[in-house]
Amino acid sequence: MNPDDVAAYALGLPEAGEEEPWGPHRPAYKAGGKIFATLAAANASQPDRLSVKCESALALHLYEQYPAVRPGYGYQGPRWHWITVHLDGTVPEEEITEMISHSWQCVVDGLPRTARDRLRRLHREQVPPFAQSGADGPASQ
């Protein structure tokens, strides 16, 4: 996944916006005024990088699963971590989109109730209903 794809996906989430608080080529993606993802352009020593908020236990799992996922900068508390993903092609696109969505949800969960409820409703409306039939879905009932 490249930075343009990351930006398009992040901006496709409900009420997501983009700012460059740290200067050009360092976009930050926000929901409810809170950052849920940042991008850093490649340099001589590192590829493009995505940083997202992540639950602590999931962050530890991702570190073990993907060498391109590393602890990020910023707050590393008991419940949340920031992780940095090197966009070098070794982490599947689906995994990266899940990380972005998870980070958006982590931020939304911390918003005041009215904003949180509104964004959750918008997200539910945006996601198409379960369309496959099978033992796990409502279509099988």
Side-chain angles (χ1 to χ4, degrees), residues 20-45:
E20 289 186 332
W22 302 290
H25 311 295
R26 285 293 313 266
Y29 301 93
K30 293 183 172 186
K34 304 288 185 181
I35 295 174
F36 68 89
T38 66
L39 276 171
N43 59 38
S45 64

Side-chain angles (χ1 to χ4, degrees), residues 3 10 15 19-20 26 30 47-48 63 65 69 77 86 89 93 95 99 106 115 126 131:
E15 297 188 16
E19 296 179 10
E20 289 186 332
R26 285 293 313 266
K30 293 183 172 186
D48 295 308
Y63 300 151
Q65 190 170 5
V69 177
H86 287 230
E93 183 173 327
E95 189 75 52
M99 290 177 198
C106 290
Q126 178 180 330

Side-chain angles (χ1 to χ4, degrees), residues 73-97:
Y73 299 109
Y75 179 73
Q76 304 289 328
R79 185 169 176 199
W80 308 113
H81 284 278
W82 279 91
I83 61 174
T84 297
V85 182
H86 287 230
L87 300 176
D88 60 6
T90 61
V91 180
E93 183 173 327
E94 299 79 26
E95 189 75 52
I96 293 171
T97 59

